[in-house]
Amino acid sequence: MTAPASAAAGVREGWTRCRGCGVTLYAPRLDRALGVCPDCGHHHRLGAAERLGRLLDKGSFVQAPDRLRAVDALGFADTRPYPDRLAAARARTGLDDAVLRGRATLGGHPVVVAAMEFAFLGGSMGVVVGEEIARAADEALATRTPLLLAVASGGARMQEGCLSLMQMARTAQALARCGRAGVPTVSLLTDPTFGGVTGSFATLTDIVVAEAGALVGFAGPRVIESATRRPLPAGFQTAEYLYAHGMVDRVEARQGLRPLLTRLLALLAAAPAPPVPPAPPETGGPGLDTAERGAWETVRFARDTARPTTLEYAGLMCEDFVELHGDRHHGDDPAIVGGLASLGGRTVMLIGHQKGHDTAELVARNFGMPEPEGYRKATRLMRLAERLGLPVVTLVDTQGAAPGVGAEERGQAWAVAEAISTMGELTVPVVSVVTGEGGSGGALALATADRVLMTRNACYSVISPESCSVILFGDPGHAAGMAEALRVTAPHLLRLGVIDGIVPEPAGGSQRDPAAAADLVRAAVLAALADLAPLSGPDLVAGRHDRFRRIGRVADV
């Protein structure tokens, strides 16, 4: 690997000026801070070699032996002939083109890696860049090694004309082959990432991470301003802006990138199936809740804001959990959370509704009532789990899908229907646990599973008792009676065949002892996954279809 370039330009006698705040910094101090200004947090650009040096295990990078150089197929010249520009870029960067490709380890995990060099003709993508990315994907596919792409590019290479444009298809197809084969791919979007690179391989990976402050987009900001003749929104096309609009999984400061990627690679590594654990008891026992509660009291218990949330269950029952964000279309709905989790030594995709414990958190999470973006995020993560061969575990706790004009305009019904349909067709094991409220289609969108469980004091219904009372009696005063009539409790639903088992709760309910509650849910989920482990993908789909086809009785006429 070539010697790394300086993290910041303008170095003179050990000093440099920050491009973000203009403060003069001691260059070695800036270097120790990984090129991040200690005063304003500005992330100075890194070259490909230095980027890999900051991310990878020391001394592990081995550059690919097959080296490629661009050909001037068009005989292109502007103020200088294209071959002269290439020669100058090679001399300046020490690279053959705008990509440095090879193999390495990161946190001890093997990766195929390709890093782009912005200093080489703006990191523009020509035929060589397209082929380098395709070869990296081919190697990852052939060796079933995770692919890591560190991206920095101004877009297409104009000097190669339409040949450059075709690289969008070449690289997109290469990433698609990895996706079909279940080979994990991760991209790191750095400053800047634009044009055909963003519109192809950079955003087609399984997980998309953006470095804090990076500018990322398709058309450049000057092009957009010129075309629209309108000022751009504050923070437009920054990593943080993309995160808020659901386009990337994570935004991380440079210091956090290596730890985050290490965790992701550990979770993406193949893990053996866990041993078959004992099934949890379905009746009372020492330290377990044995109180007899009516349906309405159970509903009130299920709604208690002190009950554990999905994120708390993730922290208590999983060895690790990396939350992933965004629906890749519009936003990141905080009412549904999901990500890669290590559960009993096995990686799963954990997805669940997220409420809160106080007014501020409940409002921020919309009381656990998802918008269409939440269901689209869940669907995206389910499909990712299927590509990677990971079981899906969902935790259900919602009054229902969010009502509202905006939700309807953005296709709430379509998003819920797609989530239900996608779950039904997954070729990986799916286990759902209703941990609080299971409200209508908004709950079923995360509960079309092979095994559906309920904690003892949860409830599950087609409609809330209050709404049922209003519709049938004109006021909510009959809610208690409707709760009983709707058969919303776990014992009733077990007898009706809607659920497959009841997870006990600690004495006084899960809200009294969240850690003990998480242990009980964990044991139940692991038992269900062990039960499903021998089944093939087609068998899982067929069994899931049969399960829901059997629910409910009909009478012949």
Side-chain angles (χ1 to χ4, degrees):
M1 189 165 67
T2 58
S6 171
V11 176
R12 173 179 287 182
E13 297 179 358
W15 295 88
T16 186
R17 186 176 299 276
C18 174
R19 289 172 173 165
C21 62
V23 169
T24 300
L25 300 168
Y26 186 48
R29 181 188 180 201
L30 181 61
D31 185 65
R32 287 194 297 271
L34 307 182
V36 178
C37 175
D39 291 324
C40 72
H42 177 73
H43 287 52
H44 292 85
R45 291 174 182 171
L46 301 180
E50 188 173 11
R51 172 71 63 183
L52 295 182
R54 302 295 192 185
L55 284 178
L56 304 175
D57 295 343
K58 187 176 181 180
S60 69
F61 180 74
V62 179
Q63 187 171 355
D66 48 329
R67 300 175 61 177
L68 308 175
R69 285 197 167 187
V71 175
D72 182 20
L74 276 62
F76 188 95
D78 43 30
T79 58
R80 297 174 65 186
Y82 180 38
D84 290 355
R85 291 193 180 278
L86 288 170
R90 290 173 190 136
R92 182 168 57 252
T93 64
L95 300 179
D96 294 307
D97 212 288
V99 173
L100 182 58
R101 172 173 59 94
R103 293 183 63 91
T105 60
L106 200 168
H109 303 284
V111 290
V112 175
V113 63
M116 299 192 70
E117 173 61 72
F118 188 75
F120 196 108
L121 298 183
S124 53
M125 179 165 67
V127 175
V128 168
V129 170
E131 181 62 17
E132 290 278 10
I133 297 299
R135 290 191 185 190
D138 289 347
E139 183 176 0
L141 180 61
T143 60
R144 301 202 64 81
T145 304
L147 174 65
L148 173 62
L149 304 173
V151 187
S153 175
R157 187 166 296 179
M158 295 176 293
Q159 294 88 344
E160 296 186 18
C162 212
L163 299 177
S164 172
L165 179 65
M166 296 302 107
Q167 304 317 303
M168 294 176 67
R170 176 182 286 192
T171 57
Q173 290 169 350
L175 267 292
R177 287 194 295 271
C178 288
R180 285 196 302 271
V183 174
T185 57
V186 180
S187 60
L188 170 59
L189 310 183
T190 74
D191 184 56
T193 300
F194 278 96
V197 167
T198 315
S200 58
F201 68 90
T203 52
L204 288 174
T205 53
D206 296 321
I207 299 171
V208 180
V209 179
E211 188 171 70
L215 291 177
V216 180
F218 188 59
R222 286 183 294 181
V223 172
I224 295 173
E225 276 193 315
S226 174
T228 62
R229 298 182 181 179
R230 297 172 59 185
L232 300 178
F236 184 65
Q237 291 187 319
T238 61
E240 292 75 12
Y241 187 91
L242 293 177
Y243 177 85
H245 287 78
M247 303 301 172
V248 298
D249 286 291
R250 307 277 298 205
V251 173
E252 292 288 329
R254 188 170 293 162
Q255 294 89 336
L257 287 173
R258 179 175 157 82
L260 171 65
L261 293 172
T262 298
R263 291 172 64 199
L264 285 171
L265 289 170
L267 288 165
L268 292 169
V276 179
E282 294 189 358
T283 57
L288 299 180
D289 192 60
T290 58
E292 294 294 332
R293 298 184 178 89
W296 182 238
E297 187 180 4
T298 298
V299 170
R300 296 174 65 184
F301 239 68
R303 293 174 175 173
D304 191 332
T305 57
R307 287 176 74 83
T309 66
T310 292
L311 288 177
E312 286 171 317
Y313 275 115
L316 290 167
M317 62 189 259
C318 300
E319 294 85 58
D320 194 13
F321 174 69
V322 176
E323 188 176 354
L324 304 176
H325 295 268
D327 69 344
R328 297 292 191 271
H329 293 287
H330 181 82
D332 179 51
D333 185 358
I336 286 184
V337 297
L340 297 169
S342 178
L343 184 64
R346 181 179 189 175
T347 300
V348 303
M349 186 66 76
L350 179 65
I351 306 169
H353 299 95
Q354 179 69 17
K355 288 184 177 178
H357 297 303
D358 56 37
T359 301
E361 187 179 6
L362 286 165
V363 170
R365 302 280 182 179
N366 198 30
F367 297 85
M369 295 186 294
E371 304 279 350
E373 297 74 49
Y375 292 112
R376 291 187 176 116
K377 172 170 64 174
T379 300
R380 179 178 75 84
L381 295 181
M382 292 174 200
R383 288 172 174 157
L384 172 58
E386 183 173 45
R387 288 201 304 274
L388 299 176
L390 303 177
V392 173
V393 176
T394 65
L395 303 180
V396 176
D397 186 11
T398 183
Q399 296 176 32
V405 174
E408 294 297 321
E409 288 177 340
R410 298 193 303 278
Q412 183 72 291
W414 283 260
V416 169
E418 185 69 15
I420 294 172
S421 175
T422 297
M423 282 194 92
E425 295 298 315
L426 292 176
T427 55
V428 294
V430 186
V431 177
S432 298
V433 185
V434 182
T435 60
E437 287 185 276
S440 194
L444 182 61
L446 295 190
T448 309
D450 301 299
R451 298 288 184 273
V452 181
L453 311 174
M454 285 178 69
T455 59
R456 190 173 189 271
N457 295 304
C459 63
Y460 196 4
S461 178
V462 66
I463 191 172
S464 72
E466 296 93 334
S467 295
C468 184
S469 177
V470 168
I471 291 171
L472 297 180
F473 294 96
D475 66 75
H478 298 270
M482 293 300 94
E484 189 65 46
L486 287 166
R487 303 293 191 261
V488 301
T489 65
H492 278 129
L493 294 171
L494 183 62
R495 287 194 290 272
L496 290 169
V498 172
I499 66 171
D500 303 297
I502 300 173
V503 182
E505 295 189 22
S510 298
Q511 56 269 51
R512 288 286 186 88
D513 192 344
D519 286 343
L520 291 164
V521 170
R522 182 179 187 274
V525 170
L526 287 176
L529 289 175
D531 186 43
L532 296 168
L535 300 179
S536 67
D539 287 342
L540 288 166
V541 174
R544 208 174 297 134
H545 287 189
D546 290 344
R547 182 193 183 282
F548 286 91
R549 191 72 178 265
R550 290 194 306 269
I551 295 176
R553 294 180 294 178
V554 297
D556 292 327
V557 177

